[in-house]
Each structure stands twice: as structure tokens, then as C-alpha cells.
Amino acid sequence: MKLSNDFSGALRTFAYFMASGTHYMLEGVKYLDMYGNQPSEIEMVFAIFANVLELDEDGNVLNFTYAQRRATDYLKAYCIRGFEVVPPYEEWETNLYGPPPLEDAI
């Protein structure tokens, strides 16, 4: 089983705008220095994005904007005093799952 092209495009797009500092949901938030200096915060942003993203049975992304909002709100809450994430995160949204084995299965 492979991930869908739609999922691949969603992940690539989110990663690009996060890494370039041009994500429209983070306008005015200074977060680029966190890359390399506070990797756990960036890791959580991508975990939230992946945990929240939903696909249909054909692999089409159903909630790209919502997944981005939930993920970027985490950074806003970290960087902007008084910013409140609404609704608060549920545990499943912030789960950090372990990596796959270092040795490929195929």
C-alpha cells in the first residue's frame, strides 16, 4: 500500500510553507528560528497535522485547511502570549507515534 498522491501533495505543501516561513496561517509569527533550536515544537506541529488529516477511501484529503489550522495553532499558542487554541487539543491530536524500524522491510 502506498500513500495517495493527494496526501503526498498535502504533506509537501504544508512542509514547504512551514519551512519557508510563508505559511499564511502564521503571518507575523516568528518561528523559523525554532527549526534546529526547538525541534520538539516543530515535531509536534507535524504530528498534529498528520494526526488530524483525514482521507476518504480513495486517498483524497478531506480536511487540509482544518488540519493546517490545528497544527499552526499549536505554534501560535507557543509563540504568542495569550493565544488560546479553541477547541483545546484532544489527546489523539497530539500523540507522538514511534518511528518505523531503521531497516526496511522490503
Side-chain angles (χ1 to χ4, degrees), residues 3-15 49 53 55 59 61:
L3 294 171
S4 70
N5 291 343
D6 208 37
F7 173 83
S8 179
L11 178 61
R12 178 200 56 78
T13 301
F14 183 67
F49 178 76
L53 200 67
L55 309 175
V61 174

